[in-house]
Amino acid sequence: MPQPIHTTVTLAGGLVLALTLSACGGTSEPADQESAAAEAPETQEREDDRPEVELVDPMEIAPDDLCTVLSEETLDELLGEEDLRSDPGDTSGGRPDPGDLEELDSLQMRCMLVSAAGLTLHFSMEVHEGLYVDSTFASYSEEDADPEVDLGDFAVTGDGMGGNGAGVDVVDGQVFVEVAYGGMGDPDRDEMMGGALKVAEEIMDSIA
C-alpha cells in the first residue's frame, strides 16, 4: 500500500531538521558551559590561583589566648608601663571558641588594649577552615598588598583608629590578622605604623 503523503513530508522535514542541527553544532551546550565558566564567582578564581597547601585544623593554629601573645617589651614600648595600661588577661575575647567554626566557618579572636596616655592597640585574628578568601573583618586580595611589607602571603597597610593611627592586615594561608594602633589628637603616623608592624610580626611569629 502506498505510504501516505503527509507521512513522507514529515520524515523529510525531520531529516532536514536533523541535518540543520548537525551543521550548527547540535545543541547550545558548549556555549552554556562557557557562559557558566564566565560567571564563576571571583572568590573561586582567587582560591584556585593560590598555591596548594595542606590545611590544618583551625584549633591547632589558633593561640590559646591571642590577647597574651605580645611580649612585655612590646607592650611597654607601645602602651607604657604595666600599671599605665589595661591588662590583657582582663578579656576573654582572645580565646578561640570551637563554636565559631559551626556558625562562622572560622575562629575569631579580638583584643583591645588601652593606655593612660590615650593610646589604643587593637588586634584580631581569623583562622579559616580553608584558605583565606575574604573575612568578616575585611576582604583583600594580593592586588591590595604593600610591596614593602614582607609578612605572610601578603600584607596590606593603611590608616587605623578612624584615621588617628595606622593599620596592618596580614593574610597567610588560613590566617587573617588585623592590627590597628593609634591615639588621640594627631599622633605621628610613621611611629604608629612602626608599632602596628611590630605587633603584626609578633603575632605571626607566635603561630609559625
Side-chain angles (χ1 to χ4, degrees):
M1 180 181 295
Q3 190 173 14
I5 293 176
H6 70 271
T7 304
T8 304
V9 172
T10 302
L11 290 174
L15 179 59
V16 172
L17 177 61
L19 291 174
T20 302
L21 287 175
S22 176
C24 294
T27 67
S28 61
E29 191 171 358
D32 292 342
Q33 291 174 350
E34 290 178 8
S35 177
E39 296 174 0
E42 180 184 353
T43 54
Q44 184 62 48
E45 292 179 6
R46 287 164 54 190
E47 197 170 38
D48 291 344
D49 290 340
R50 301 278 291 281
E52 290 188 12
V53 298
E54 184 177 349
L55 299 178
V56 180
D57 183 343
M59 288 297 294
E60 294 183 16
I61 298 175
D64 292 336
D65 189 342
L66 178 65
C67 300
T68 61
V69 301
L70 300 181
S71 67
E72 284 296 317
E73 178 184 0
T74 294
L75 292 174
D76 287 346
E77 178 183 338
L78 301 186
L79 298 173
E81 298 296 327
E82 188 173 0
D83 58 347
L84 296 176
R85 65 175 190 255
S86 56
D87 182 359
D90 288 345
T91 176
S92 61
R95 301 189 185 101
D97 180 358
D100 286 350
L101 293 174
E102 297 181 7
E103 297 180 17
L104 308 170
D105 294 327
S106 65
L107 296 176
Q108 298 191 357
M109 295 146 278
R110 298 176 176 83
C111 309
M112 186 170 72
L113 305 176
V114 298
S115 75
L119 293 167
T120 301
L121 175 62
H122 177 274
F123 48 107
S124 308
M125 178 187 291
E126 271 189 343
V127 185
H128 297 254
E129 293 185 294
L131 291 179
Y132 165 92
V133 176
D134 55 26
S135 164
T136 56
F137 296 157
S139 297
Y140 296 111
S141 70
E142 292 193 46
E143 296 178 355
D144 304 305
D146 185 335
E148 297 184 4
V149 179
D150 184 17
L151 282 175
D153 293 337
F154 65 90
V156 181
T157 57
D159 294 332
M161 299 298 170
N164 292 329
V168 180
D169 297 338
V170 182
V171 173
D172 189 31
Q174 296 170 242
V175 177
F176 175 75
V177 169
E178 181 181 61
V179 178
Y181 176 52
M184 297 183 296
D186 187 22
D188 184 282
R189 190 178 184 282
D190 289 339
E191 183 179 335
M192 298 296 103
M193 180 59 72
L197 284 169
K198 186 167 188 176
V199 170
E201 290 171 0
E202 283 200 19
I203 293 174
M204 297 308 296
D205 288 343
S206 74
I207 60 175

